């Protein structure tokens, strides 16, 4: 049942350490350096750079067996044990030096989301100049994620204090409704529900770009987001299916449409007048060495991390103080502060190490399953492979593999590929052999490329041609594959 499978997928509870790892797994290689810098700035116990402390004696074990009293600090409880191996993370960069990093060429400009929205506002025929002032005030209050976090009444107060304008809240709501029709879809939403609903409604306003199946799916998604958002958020899928009077397949299709929406509509902003080119730095490299594949993980943005020597000295001093007498209240509070910072630093170091090993294990398992493809670059050699296959091989949760696959790239001799491109379900051809959906989509694309553009093939005609090629699929499945390849319906492919 859909309710059981999806509930299991989303109801997992994770510890803070696991949550930090999941977040780090999603960080692209070129952003990891900045993420580490932010952590260093927020935690003085964490430092970057080489350290020779691996060779130091372990000075942090208790050296006495004195009885504890109310004024003593148990350093074995307060601080992690520092064994013969210092708690340090060193990147596997094989001597890679900071100055060796290539300069990334990224186009930039002064245009931002607010400028983009204001340009759209200037194209709207508003009744009064006051409406335009209100519009600019609203746009200035939209955050980088695309949300309007301030209440409309607060915007009226802003205008009163800054410009001595008395505005009714209803006027703000009227102009906000106009701005919420701007691009990117979902902009100006006041919460997640509104952001997703605006995006669905925006798609439904362009039915000429959709086929009958997607229109149906989007209409169900609209009802879910508008009338049953709490049930959706709580993953009560059985209740949703009952309330909407739809079958499992239709509910799953509508749910998939919602998953495609952007929870941060401001992050989807693209200014066509000033295109920003995003540099993709591959996370892995696979090389063919005379018929043997070699795989390496990009560690260039993973600097050496270790616990601050200053904080280690604080541990030494507090221990000496304790051994010579009782600690004051202030010193005990200092010990607690130091403990918290060191534990946080160590957790981060461990998460970075775990990130690297998880990336390696995931990519290695993918490489081994798709070995023939990485040798040849021929998609016919891609084997059916789902997230569960890799998760079971490396003994991690499916969600972990999903985070790696959806955000990481591998450089091959045939181009730089997103890992999720190697995952596909399987279908059986008419001979009973397994064929990847990637190969089926390629067959479908080839058929469409060769069609008569003055009389393009309908999805039903495509279904019949695929069947002649040994692949039997439903018309709805053909439609879904076509949409995933961004191929429009037949009437939009027609050339006069």
């Amino acid at each position: 049942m859909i309710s059981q499978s999806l509930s299991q997928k989303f109801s997992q509870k994770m510890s803070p350490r696991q949550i930090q790892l999941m977040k780090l797994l999603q960080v692209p290689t070129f952003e990891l350096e900045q993420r580490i810098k932010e952590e260093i700035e927020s935690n003085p116990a964490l430092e970057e750079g080489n350290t020779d402390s691996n060779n130091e004696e372990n000075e942090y074990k208790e050296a006495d067996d004195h009885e504890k009293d109310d004024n003593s600090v148990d350093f074995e409880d307060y601080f992690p044990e520092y064994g013969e191996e210092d708690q340090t993370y060193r990147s596997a960069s094989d001597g890679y030096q900071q100055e060796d990093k290539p300069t990334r060429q990224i186009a930039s400009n002064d245009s931002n989301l607010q400028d983009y929205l204001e340009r759209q506002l200037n194209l709207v025929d508003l009744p009064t100049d006051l409406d335009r002032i209100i519009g600019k005030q609203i746009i200035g209050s939209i955050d980088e994620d695309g949300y309007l976090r301030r209440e409309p009444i607060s915007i009226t107060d802003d205008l009163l204090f800054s410009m001595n304008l008395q505005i009714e809240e209803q006027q703000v709501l009227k102009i906000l409704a106009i701005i919420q029709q701007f691009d990117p879809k979902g902009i100006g939403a006041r919460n997640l529900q509104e952001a997703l609903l605006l995006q669905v409604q925006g798609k439904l306003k362009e039915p000429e770009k959709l086929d009958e199946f997607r229109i149906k799916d989007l209409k169900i998604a609209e009802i879910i987001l508008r009338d049953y958002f709490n049930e959706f958020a709580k993953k009560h899928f059985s209740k949703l299916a009952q309330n909407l009077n739809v079958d499992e397949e239709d509910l799953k299709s509508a749910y998939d449409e919602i998953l495609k929406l952007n929870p941060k509509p401001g992050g989807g902003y693209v200014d066509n007048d000033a295109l920003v080119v995003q540099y993709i730095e591959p996370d892995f490299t696979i090389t063919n060495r005379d018929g043997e594949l070699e795989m390496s993980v990009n560690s260039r943005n993973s600097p050496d991390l270790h616990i601050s020597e200053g904080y280690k000295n604080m541990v030494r001093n507090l221990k000496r103080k304790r051994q010579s007498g009782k600690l004051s209240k202030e010193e005990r509070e200092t010990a607690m502060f130091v403990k918290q910072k060191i534990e946080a630093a160590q957790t981060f170091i461990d998460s970075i190490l775990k990130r690297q090993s998880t990336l390696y294990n995931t990519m290695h398992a993918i490489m081994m399953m798709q070995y023939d493809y990485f040798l040849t670059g021929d998609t016919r050699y891609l084997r059916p492979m789902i997230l569960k296959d890799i998760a079971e091989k490396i003994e991690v949760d499916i969600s972990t593999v999903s985070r790696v696959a959806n955000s990481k790239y591998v450089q091959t001799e045939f181009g730089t590929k997103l890992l999720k491109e190697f995952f596909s379900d399987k279908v059986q051809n008419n001979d009973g052999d397994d064929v990847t959906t990637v190969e089926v989509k390629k067959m479908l694309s080839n058929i469409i490329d060769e069609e008569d553009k003055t009389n393009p093939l309908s999805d039903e005609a495509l279904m019949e041609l695929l069947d002649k090629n040994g692949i039997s699929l439903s018309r709805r499945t053909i439609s879904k594959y076509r949409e995933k390849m961004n191929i429009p319906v037949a009437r939009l492919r027609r050339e006069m």
Side-chain angles (χ1 to χ4, degrees), residues 245-263:
N245 193 26
V246 297
D247 59 27
E248 181 176 314
E249 183 180 4
D250 285 340
L251 181 59
K252 180 65 167 62
S253 296
Y255 179 80
D256 288 342
E257 289 291 345
I258 295 175
L259 289 184
K260 296 175 187 176
L261 304 176
N262 190 351

Side-chain angles (χ1 to χ4, degrees), residues 309-483:
E309 286 299 319
Y311 268 64
K312 291 180 182 179
N313 287 332
M314 292 174 69
V315 174
R316 296 187 187 99
N317 293 335
L318 285 167
K319 288 180 69 174
R320 292 192 190 102
K321 187 90 174 195
R322 176 201 162 183
Q323 290 168 354
S324 62
K326 296 181 180 179
L327 295 179
S328 67
K329 178 181 178 181
E330 181 178 331
E331 288 168 333
R332 292 199 304 274
E333 291 174 351
T334 299
M336 286 299 298
F337 174 81
V338 171
K339 167 188 178 291
Q340 292 169 357
K341 291 300 180 182
I342 288 182
E343 286 181 344
Q346 188 58 51
T347 296
F348 188 77
I349 291 171
D350 291 344
S351 295
I352 291 290
L353 283 167
K354 184 64 175 177
R355 175 186 187 272
Q356 292 298 90
S357 65
T358 301
L359 292 181
Y360 178 88
N361 292 338
T362 303
M363 186 66 247
H364 187 267
I366 293 172
M367 182 183 74
M368 297 308 293
M369 281 201 71
Q370 305 293 359
Y371 206 90
D372 290 339
Y373 166 77
F374 287 115
L375 280 175
T376 64
D378 190 337
T379 56
R380 291 177 298 176
Y381 290 112
L382 280 174
R383 297 173 55 189
M385 180 177 73
I386 59 176
L387 297 173
K388 183 181 179 183
D389 295 331
I390 300 300
E392 289 178 347
K393 280 185 177 296
I394 63 176
E395 299 181 343
V396 298
D397 191 81
I398 292 176
S399 64
T400 300
V401 179
S402 176
R403 284 175 169 84
V404 176
N406 287 327
S407 61
K408 300 294 176 285
Y409 291 82
V410 57
Q411 181 178 313
T412 73
E413 297 176 6
F414 323 106
T416 300
K417 310 288 186 181
L418 184 62
L419 295 196
K420 72 175 183 180
E421 295 179 16
F422 303 114
F423 290 86
S424 65
D425 292 325
K426 62 184 177 182
V427 297
Q428 283 193 334
N429 61 22
N430 295 345
D431 295 328
D433 298 324
D434 290 339
V435 181
T436 67
T437 54
V438 172
E439 189 61 23
V440 174
K441 289 177 184 177
K442 186 175 181 180
M443 293 171 61
L444 183 61
S445 178
N446 290 338
I447 292 173
I448 293 174
D449 287 343
E450 296 172 2
E451 71 183 356
D452 179 3
K453 296 303 180 184
T454 63
N455 186 28
L457 299 167
S458 66
D459 287 345
E460 187 168 352
L462 292 171
M463 178 183 69
E464 293 173 356
L465 285 173
L466 272 182
D467 188 58
K468 290 180 180 179
N469 282 276
I471 304 293
S472 297
L473 298 174
S474 69
R475 185 163 69 94
R476 184 181 181 102
T477 302
I478 296 289
S479 174
K480 285 187 175 182
Y481 285 178
R482 178 177 50 71
E483 288 177 2

Side-chain angles (χ1 to χ4, degrees), residues 200-216:
V200 168
Q201 292 171 340
K203 292 183 179 183
L204 285 170
K205 287 178 181 178
E206 300 176 319
E208 68 279 1
K209 296 182 179 180
L210 308 169
D211 61 27
E212 57 184 294
F213 296 117
R214 282 204 71 195
I215 291 175
K216 179 182 179 182

Side-chain angles (χ1 to χ4, degrees), residues 77-129:
D77 289 336
Y78 276 4
F79 299 93
E81 293 266 332
Y82 292 87
E84 292 182 1
E85 285 190 0
D86 191 19
Q87 310 224 5
T88 302
Y89 165 65
R90 295 182 182 278
S91 63
S93 55
D94 298 327
Y96 183 86
Q97 299 299 318
Q98 183 79 13
E99 57 269 21
D100 295 332
K101 292 187 180 181
T103 302
R104 291 192 296 268
Q105 300 297 327
I106 302 178
S108 63
N109 57 80
D110 295 330
S111 180
N112 55 32
L113 178 60
Q114 276 68 35
D115 293 336
Y116 183 53
L117 295 174
E118 283 197 20
R119 287 204 297 274
Q120 294 179 73
L121 181 68
N122 291 334
L123 297 175
V124 178
D125 185 16
L126 296 174
T128 67
D129 290 339

